[in-house]
Amino acid sequence: MNNLLEKIKFFSKNMMESVIAIYTEKGAEPFKKPLLYALPIILVLYFMVYSPTTGKLANKKHELANMASISEFFEDYKNAKSRISFFQSRLPATKDKDDWLNHVLTSNAKEQGIDIDGITAQKEVAISNYFVVSRSVSLTTTYDKAGKWVCGMENSPIFLKITNFTLKKDPVKRGQVKVNLTLSTIFSKMLMDNP
C-alpha cells in the first residue's frame, strides 16, 4: 500500500514538472487543443453529477418546508385524534346495532324489577359517518325504581343519552308513576365498514 502511494506521488510530481517545463518552453499553445477537447467532457460530467443533485436538493427543501408547516399543527392533530379515539371507544359495537338499545332498556329494567308496558320500533338517522339510533319506552313503576333505572342507563360507560323524558303520577295506582322516555346512542358507519 505504501509502495502504491509512493508511485502515485512520483507520477504526479513528474507530470507537474513536465507541464511546467513545456509551459515555460513553448507557452500555452500546446495546451489549447487538449483543453478544447477536455472542456466539453468536463462540462458534461459536471452537469451529470451535479444537476440531478440540484433537483433533489430543491425537492428536499420543498419537503422540509411542507414538514415545517405540518409540524405547527401536529399537537392539535394529535390531541384531536386522541379525543376522537376516546369518543369512538365509548360508542357501542356496530355489529349489535339492530337490538342493542332494546337489550339495554330491557336488561336494566329487569335488574330494577320493572315491567315495560310498551317499546317502540328503533329509529335510525344517518348523519355523516354516524347513525343516531333511538328507541322509546313506556312503563309504570315507583319513583325509586324509576330513578335507579334512569341512573343505571345514564352512568353507562357506553355513550347513552336520554333525549326525551316524562314522568307523571299514575291516577289509578297509588305510589306509582308513568314514565315515558327515549334513549339514544350513536353507531359509527366507519366501524361498520371496517370491522
Side-chain angles (χ1 to χ4, degrees):
M1 181 74 178
N2 221 3
N3 193 17
L4 181 64
L5 286 174
E6 289 298 322
K7 285 182 180 180
I8 292 172
K9 281 182 187 178
F10 178 74
F11 177 75
S12 299
K13 187 176 178 184
N14 278 345
M15 188 174 70
M16 286 305 290
E17 287 174 357
S18 297
V19 168
I20 292 171
I22 292 170
Y23 182 75
T24 53
E25 188 178 317
K26 296 185 181 175
E29 191 64 35
F31 299 106
K32 285 182 183 177
K33 197 172 184 181
L35 278 177
L36 190 63
Y37 291 128
L39 190 61
I41 294 171
I42 291 172
L43 287 175
V44 167
L45 287 175
Y46 173 81
F47 284 113
M48 284 176 58
V49 172
Y50 288 108
S51 183
T53 309
T54 307
K56 287 179 186 176
L57 181 63
N59 286 342
K60 292 298 179 188
K61 283 182 181 179
H62 185 66
E63 284 180 26
L64 182 62
N66 286 343
M67 292 295 181
S69 65
I70 289 171
S71 69
E72 287 180 45
F73 303 105
F74 179 72
E75 283 301 317
D76 293 339
Y77 170 77
K78 198 165 87 173
N79 291 339
K81 191 167 183 169
S82 65
R83 287 180 62 204
I84 288 170
S85 295
F86 169 73
F87 288 124
Q88 288 276 9
S89 70
R90 293 198 60 212
L91 296 180
T94 51
K95 63 181 177 152
D96 304 328
K97 181 174 76 76
D98 295 333
D99 292 325
W100 192 76
L101 276 180
N102 185 44
H103 172 73
V104 169
L105 289 166
T106 55
S107 64
N108 282 341
K110 190 181 256 184
E111 282 179 18
Q112 300 304 321
I114 298 172
D115 292 325
I116 294 176
D117 298 335
I119 193 163
T120 64
Q122 182 166 292
K123 294 178 185 171
E124 296 179 11
V125 178
I127 300 173
S128 187
N129 289 326
Y130 298 95
F131 286 110
V132 178
V133 179
S134 61
R135 191 168 275 224
S136 297
V137 69
S138 60
L139 53 95
T140 305
T141 188
T142 63
Y143 282 108
D144 185 44
K145 287 182 180 179
K148 287 179 181 175
W149 182 58
V150 169
C151 183
M153 288 185 291
E154 284 190 333
N155 290 328
S156 171
I158 303 296
F159 178 77
L160 289 170
K161 179 88 173 157
I162 296 175
T163 54
N164 187 20
F165 181 80
T166 58
L167 184 129
K168 294 180 183 177
K169 283 185 180 182
D170 189 340
V172 178
K173 297 179 185 173
R174 195 158 190 203
Q176 299 279 311
V177 290
K178 288 195 172 283
V179 176
N180 291 308
L181 71 79
T182 303
L183 186 65
S184 300
T185 191
I186 297 173
F187 292 94
S188 173
K189 285 184 187 177
M190 293 178 291
L191 295 176
M192 273 183 163
D193 296 338
N194 302 317

